[in-house]
């Protein structure tokens, strides 16, 4: 974690009395959660934070403006999406603008037509052939390896592209459908390179568990969830200190073997004395 920002509901943002009592700065206005997230991502890029893949759950990933903003910042993403999100199936894209009749302005907008339109990702998943699905194990769990069944196809997001002049670029649609379930359970869109193997797509998408783990540790172990004040500035000071404390603990944890370097002397096995014989043994080892 490198940043936190309280979500200010619209009813609060428009309430001058509440704003004054909580000390909310005048330049803080109502923003949706995806808009706040995009601002923080842009700030991280501008600050020179080493770039990685942006991971989002469906609450954020379904927001087209957020995904477009991440791409405009030069970053790739793996974004969870809802089953109702629409895409153009593999090899299909919007129709070109209508031919110009010679009168008025030449048409520039993409078109759809009966029988030629996008589909919901759920319907696309259910239409895939059995051979499209592969079992993938992405990491070791507490009791057993974590594995499921996945498919990945190249699609074009279709959100309001009838107001666009050019089709959206192709990206990955990753789908999880455990064999024990009657229908697919999870969907992701990703701008990782076209050559990315399925195993790598799955491993990256599933890295969100680390975000959830970090958030839980910061809330419980480092006290982010223990703040009882009612001030805007106070909470953000408290959150900043929690982030700094967590960063310190991560650095300390990384220095402890097996994460950190192990002194060479610890790896050298001590030689047994000549003629040493374990208790009960009939011959020297």
């Amino acid at each position: 974690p490198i940043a936190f920002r309280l979500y200010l509901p619209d009813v609060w943002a428009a309430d001058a009395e509440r704003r004054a009592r909580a000390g909310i700065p005048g330049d803080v206005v109502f923003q949706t959660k995806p808009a706040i997230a995009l601002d923080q991502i842009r700030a991280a890029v501008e600050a020179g934070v080493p770039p990685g893949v942006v991971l989002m759950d469906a609450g954020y990933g379904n927001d087209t403006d957020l995904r477009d903003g991440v791409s405009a910042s030069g970053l790739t993403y793996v974004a969870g999406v809802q089953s109702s999100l629409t895409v153009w199936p593999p090899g299909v894209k919007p129709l070109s603008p209508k031919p110009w009749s010679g009168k008025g302005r030449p048409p520039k907008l993409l078109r759809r037509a009966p029988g030629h339109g996008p589909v919901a990702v759920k319907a696309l998943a259910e239409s895939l052939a059995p051979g499209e699905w592969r079992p993938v194990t992405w990491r070791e769990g507490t009791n057993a390896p974590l594995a499921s069944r996945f498919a990945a196809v190249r699609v074009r997001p279709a959100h309001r592209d009838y107001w666009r002049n050019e089709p959206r670029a192709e990206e990955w649609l990753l789908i999880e459908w455990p064999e024990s379930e009657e229908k697919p359970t999870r969907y992701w869109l990703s701008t990782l390179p076209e050559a990315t193997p399925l195993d790598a797509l799955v491993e990256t998408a599933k890295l969100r568990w680390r975000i959830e783990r970090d958030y839980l540790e910061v809330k419980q172990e480092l006290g982010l969830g223990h703040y009882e004040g009612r001030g805007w500035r106070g909470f953000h000071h408290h959150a900043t200190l929690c982030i700094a404390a967590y960063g310190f603990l991560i650095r300390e944890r990384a220095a402890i073997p097996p994460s950190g370097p192990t002194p060479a002397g610890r790896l050298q096995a001590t030689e047994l004395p000549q003629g040493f014989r374990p208790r009960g043994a009939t011959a020297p080892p």
Side-chain angles (χ1 to χ4, degrees), residues 89 119 121-130 132-133 177:
V119 298
V121 293
K122 180 177 183 291
L124 176 56
E126 293 174 341
S127 72
L128 295 178
E132 297 277 359
W133 301 93
W177 190 347

Side-chain angles (χ1 to χ4, degrees), residues 51-56 67 70-71 74-79 152-155 169-174 188-207:
V53 180
V54 178
L55 306 180
M56 300 176 257
R67 298 196 315 271
V70 169
S71 296
L75 301 173
T76 56
Y77 61 74
V78 180
V153 292
R154 300 290 289 175
V155 300
E170 284 189 343
E171 53 190 272
W172 285 110
L173 171 63
L174 175 66
W188 297 266
L189 285 176
S190 175
T191 54
L192 287 173
E194 185 175 355
T196 304
L198 177 62
D199 291 3
L201 280 172
V202 173
E203 289 173 4
T204 306
K206 292 294 185 176
L207 277 176

Side-chain angles (χ1 to χ4, degrees), residues 198-242:
L198 177 62
D199 291 3
L201 280 172
V202 173
E203 289 173 4
T204 306
K206 292 294 185 176
L207 277 176
R208 280 211 72 258
W209 74 274
R210 292 176 60 180
I211 299 174
E212 299 296 340
R213 184 200 64 186
D214 289 347
Y215 188 41
L216 186 64
E217 289 190 5
V218 173
K219 284 177 66 177
Q220 296 183 353
E221 304 299 327
L222 295 170
L224 179 67
H226 302 162
Y227 182 72
E228 296 183 356
R230 293 294 183 268
W232 178 272
R233 183 169 183 167
F235 170 81
H236 289 90
H237 281 186
H238 179 76
T240 301
L241 291 175
C242 290

Side-chain angles (χ1 to χ4, degrees), residues 260-277:
T262 303
R266 295 185 186 177
L267 300 178
Q268 296 175 356
T270 304
E271 293 185 7
L272 296 175
Q274 186 175 4
F276 170 80
R277 184 175 302 177

Side-chain angles (χ1 to χ4, degrees), residues 60-85:
Y60 288 87
N62 230 57
D63 191 288
T64 303
D65 290 339
L66 174 56
R67 298 196 315 271
D68 288 348
V70 169
S71 296
S73 297
L75 301 173
T76 56
Y77 61 74
V78 180
V81 295
Q82 297 173 358
S83 61
S84 57
L85 183 133

